[in-house]
Amino acid sequence: MPASPSTARAINDRLALRLLQQEGPLTAGQLKQLTGLSRPTVADLVERLTAAGLIGVVGESGEQRRGPNARLYGIVADRAHLAALDVRTESVTVVVADLLGTELARASVPIAGDAGTGPAVEQAVTLVERAAKEAGADRLHTVAIGAPGLIDPATGELRDSSGLPAWHRRLVAALGERLPARVLVENETNLAALAEQRDGAARDRDTFVLLWLGLGTGAAVVLDGHLRRGASGGTGEIGFLPVPGTTTVPSATDCEGGFHSLAGATAVAALATAHGVTAEAVPSEPYAATLVRAATAGPPPSDTATRQPGPGLPPGEPDRARFLDALADRVAIGAASVVAVLDPGCVVLGGEVGRAGGVELAGRVGQRLAAMSPLPTEVRAGGLGGAAVLRGALLMAREAAQDELFAPPTR
């Protein structure tokens, strides 16, 4: 059946808004060309969207032609303000942006491990309020939070997980109580995958797995363009994957003995130390990532070049190369398990450690996967590293806000 006039108007309006979001300011003539709509229809939708405060005149076109220049219409960026949070075990970072995703303010605060739930929540909420004020936002429309742990697919809430601070769950509720805003929460690795697909290493893929290598390990699964969360929200909890090379097996409450024990930050740092790789600590970065970056930066010191090589390696092999080989062995074990089940065709190494390893670590992991699995799989280095969580949270907040603001008015 043909769409009703009101439905057709809503579809046309949404199409025009998406084009303005993607292309930037456009003239009515350019909207007509890109949408294929008639001139009167475009004129009507421009009038509607302007009256709704969603678009406005932002300048004039620079076209060389006779007569007055055409007006350029653009989305009113300050129609809504958004906040994105990256909630870690010992810190919170917040970015405040406008409706187009332009960053207006950024702030971070460390959270002491013994701070207690109440004080930790107050620190985090105060940080968001201060950042919003700095950005000139009278109110926040949508707040998106990226946090470790499982998200209940039925309620959209962060589930109570052992090993994670209690203030994480309380923070979500506190922000909803203190701010007149919609508050959303998503697993940090899933948000990183969203960011890598939109702006990073997976821009050309609609099916891939992001393997997060940071303080902990995780995976995000994107199939046919859709993020998959699983029946309980636990898709990608690869830290619990039983793997060879550990002294025990993981339990329902502790991932010790799982893939986390091979590729988590503590294990990576210990592996680097065992191979004589050292580096000066960098603030706000896991030490494991700093060590991996040092290993990929250049030739090793001369006093480590003659250490006894590992099995199968030629004499004189640099320690840094042996360390990267050993790390790739470990990462490939987890990646091969994911590939065998999902056949994603592409694995992106994300997180701070994945980004620090870059193409050198990705290449090593790719070689090992090719030898371990008959399924062709490209391994890529993530392009966004630890910043992917914040970027993904901002994308989620923007999508949610635009879905609401761009929706046709209810009658």
Side-chain angles (χ1 to χ4, degrees):
M1 294 179 62
S4 66
S6 61
T7 301
R9 286 194 295 269
I11 293 172
N12 293 340
D13 291 355
R14 194 66 176 259
L15 174 59
L17 287 165
R18 289 299 181 190
L19 284 170
L20 289 169
Q21 175 191 324
Q22 296 166 5
E23 305 293 334
L26 298 169
T27 66
Q30 290 169 327
L31 280 171
K32 174 182 178 297
Q33 181 181 6
L34 291 170
T35 61
L37 300 172
S38 67
R39 189 176 299 276
T41 300
V42 170
D44 287 344
L45 73 83
V46 167
E47 183 179 353
R48 280 195 305 274
L49 295 176
T50 302
L54 291 173
I55 69 171
V57 177
V58 296
E60 295 182 341
S61 69
E63 297 172 357
Q64 299 298 320
R65 59 181 179 81
R66 295 180 181 179
N69 288 338
R71 291 177 175 179
L72 278 170
Y73 295 94
I75 291 176
V76 179
D78 60 1
R79 181 72 165 74
H81 289 95
L82 320 168
L85 278 73
D86 183 359
V87 177
R88 302 295 177 99
T89 304
E90 298 177 346
S91 68
V92 175
T93 301
V94 60
V95 165
V96 177
D98 61 25
L99 187 58
L100 290 176
T102 302
E103 184 176 319
L104 304 175
R106 177 185 291 252
S108 299
V109 64
I111 306 292
D114 58 354
T117 299
V121 169
E122 183 61 29
Q123 279 184 276
V125 175
T126 300
L127 180 76
V128 176
E129 293 174 333
R130 188 169 68 244
K133 183 178 181 180
E134 180 185 338
D138 294 332
R139 64 179 298 272
L140 295 172
H141 182 282
T142 304
V143 177
I145 303 170
L150 303 181
I151 307 300
D152 190 322
T155 64
E157 297 176 351
L158 188 64
R159 290 171 52 183
D160 188 11
S161 302
S162 61
L164 294 176
W167 63 266
H168 280 193
R169 296 185 72 243
R170 177 58 191 148
L171 174 60
V172 178
L175 286 170
E177 294 165 1
R178 289 268 288 269
L179 302 175
R182 180 183 182 186
V183 180
L184 308 172
V185 62
E186 179 58 273
N187 174 267
E188 59 180 357
T189 307
N190 288 343
L191 290 178
L194 175 63
E196 290 287 359
Q197 186 180 34
R198 187 73 60 85
D199 300 322
R203 286 190 297 269
D204 60 336
R205 307 289 305 202
D206 62 0
T207 294
F208 71 99
V209 168
L210 180 133
L211 191 61
W212 182 268
L213 304 172
L215 288 175
T217 59
V221 177
V222 177
L223 302 177
D224 300 324
H226 297 286
L227 186 68
R228 305 299 181 180
R229 295 176 175 84
S232 64
T235 294
E237 287 296 309
I238 197 172
F240 286 88
L241 181 72
V243 292
T246 62
T247 57
T248 183
V249 294
S251 69
T253 58
D254 189 356
C255 60
E256 189 66 30
F259 181 62
H260 173 83
S261 295
L262 291 184
T266 300
V268 173
L271 184 66
T273 299
H275 286 82
V277 177
T278 61
E280 185 175 345
V282 175
S284 303
E285 179 182 67
Y287 187 49
T290 306
L291 291 166
V292 171
R293 183 173 291 105
T296 62
S302 58
D303 63 342
T304 64
T306 57
R307 290 179 185 269
Q308 191 66 27
L313 293 172
E317 185 76 12
D319 269 8
R320 69 178 188 90
R322 295 208 301 277
F323 164 56
L324 291 173
D325 280 337
L327 178 58
D329 289 340
R330 295 184 174 193
V331 174
I333 289 174
S337 300
V338 173
V339 167
V341 174
L342 297 175
D343 186 19
C346 179
V347 172
V348 176
L349 302 185
E352 296 90 346
V353 171
R355 186 180 186 186
V359 295
E360 192 165 347
L361 178 61
R364 281 170 157 83
V365 174
Q367 290 173 357
R368 284 154 179 78
L369 271 183
M372 296 168 68
S373 171
L375 306 176
T377 306
E378 184 179 4
V379 179
R380 300 179 179 179
L384 303 175
V389 177
L390 263 182
R391 179 60 182 159
L394 185 56
L395 287 169
M396 183 172 73
R398 190 178 76 180
E399 289 292 331
Q402 289 180 347
D403 281 345
E404 179 179 324
L405 294 171
F406 294 177
T410 57
R411 297 184 182 274

